[in-house]
Amino acid sequence: MDKIVIRDLRVKGILGIYAHERVTPQEIIINVTLYADTRKAGETDEIADCVDYEKAANLLKTHAETAQRQTVEALAEDLAKLCLALPGVQGTRIGVEKPQAVSFTASVGVEIERFKR
């Protein structure tokens, strides 16, 4: 399966279980791989045959900024469902990271893969 990537989508949102995380939006980094067959788009060179990665990025950004989830796992599941609903997408890999979560790390987070059944 071909891959469409969105790297280092940076958003600010409420994400976490601690009181201070529930008040002030923090940076969240999202990495996405969309699995799709891109052959037709490659042959026709028509945008109508492509997966709309700008739409995907905007959907993910909006959701991450407004969802106010407690865990990165829950946010990752939300984002995977949004990706799988996009036309042409057969699967997705979602990474959600919190750069400020653990002070002595660059970031911590989860990465999941989900596919249409």
Side-chain angles (χ1 to χ4, degrees):
M1 192 63 57
D2 303 323
K3 299 176 185 176
I4 298 154
V5 297
I6 300 170
R7 291 194 180 100
D8 296 333
L9 176 62
R10 296 177 183 274
V11 302
K12 292 232 180 217
I14 300 294
L15 179 61
I17 60 170
Y18 299 112
H20 68 277
E21 294 178 306
R22 306 302 302 163
V23 176
T24 304
Q26 64 182 293
E27 183 176 43
I28 302 164
I29 300 171
I30 301 166
N31 283 288
V32 180
T33 301
L34 303 172
Y35 298 104
D37 186 342
T38 64
R39 285 178 284 200
K40 185 174 180 184
E43 291 170 3
T44 66
D45 198 23
E46 293 290 331
I47 192 70
D49 296 326
C50 296
V51 171
D52 190 339
Y53 53 79
E54 182 178 16
K55 179 180 179 180
N58 286 327
L59 281 171
L60 300 174
K61 178 180 184 298
T62 298
H63 186 80
E65 290 175 338
T66 60
Q68 298 192 11
R69 299 297 254 161
Q70 292 190 56
T71 64
V72 290
E73 292 85 354
L75 181 58
E77 285 291 340
D78 292 349
L79 300 178
K81 288 175 185 172
L82 289 172
C83 289
L84 291 175
L86 293 169
V89 173
Q90 296 301 309
T92 187
R93 173 182 289 149
I94 303 285
V96 177
E97 299 177 32
K98 293 170 47 174
Q100 294 90 22
V102 179
S103 61
F104 50 88
T105 67
S107 67
V108 296
V110 301
E111 184 175 279
I112 65 171
E113 281 190 326
R114 301 293 181 263
F115 294 89
K116 287 185 177 173
R117 296 184 190 257

